[in-house]
Amino acid sequence: MTGAPRHTLPLDVHLLLRRDGEHGPEVLLSRRAGPVYATGMWHLPSGHLEADEDFVEAVVREAREETGILIDTPDVRAAVTVHHRPPMGSSSRLGVFFEVRRWSGLPRIMEPDRCDGMGWYALDALPAPMVAYCRAGLDAYGAGLPAAVHFQRPGDPVEHRDGEPGPARTEFLAGPATADANRPPPHEGGR
């Protein structure tokens, strides 16, 4: 140990409210508005972890505050984790994306000073402009991967742009091998 201070980072929770649409899976997105980061861009309902709450409590609270829906904690499923560094301003942060497929109420804009649009979008037809950090999480989720590193560089765009350097900054991480696919067969007669 060097005695150097430990790295600390903010924790964001992202709500992947998912439903089956006419053309496949859809997620609820909101358009950021007002004096907030990435105003005018689409993003999942999200927020920061508050003191003395766990991240499941945080995503349930953010869902209620931003969309008016009610979620039971057993309906919250871990989906994707993204380690992100924005192109300007702060150091890295950790975003945990949670999938929810069951809730009560109809999603609606609850914070008009921070959100001026909300709608359902197919995972394969996401709107633009979208926050690149959010898009990295959605791309990992769509690929069935549990994690991504999305470290942007100064000068990268905040919004996702196909074919530009920012999106190429995403590195997807595979999870552990599933079931018995990579396990050697057991030996006969015991260990």
Side-chain angles (χ1 to χ4, degrees), residues 13 105 171 191:
V13 295
E171 295 177 42
R191 298 179 181 236

Side-chain angles (χ1 to χ4, degrees), residues 97-178:
F97 293 66
F98 294 95
E99 179 191 77
V100 173
R101 294 186 187 213
R102 232 171 49 170
W103 61 90
S104 299
L106 294 174
R108 63 193 182 283
I109 296 172
M110 297 293 291
E111 298 175 322
D113 59 322
R114 296 179 184 181
C115 173
D116 67 1
M118 186 175 284
W120 292 98
Y121 293 90
L123 279 172
D124 61 357
L126 297 169
M130 177 175 278
V131 177
Y133 167 31
C134 177
R135 180 62 185 261
L138 284 168
D139 287 348
Y141 174 75
L145 298 170
V149 175
H150 184 257
F151 268 36
Q152 292 177 289
R153 296 182 186 152
D156 280 352
V158 171
E159 72 270 15
H160 170 83
R161 295 180 186 166
D162 287 332
E164 291 198 16
R169 305 274 189 253
T170 304
E171 295 177 42
F172 297 110
L173 304 172
T178 58

Side-chain angles (χ1 to χ4, degrees), residues 5-13 48-50 81-86 90-96 133 148-151:
R6 289 181 184 224
H7 178 66
T8 60
L9 62 155
L11 180 69
D12 303 327
V13 295
H48 300 147
L49 182 71
E50 292 182 357
T81 301
V82 178
H83 190 193
H84 167 69
R85 182 180 62 210
S90 64
S91 60
S92 69
R93 58 194 323 111
L94 195 64
V96 184
Y133 167 31
V149 175
H150 184 257
F151 268 36

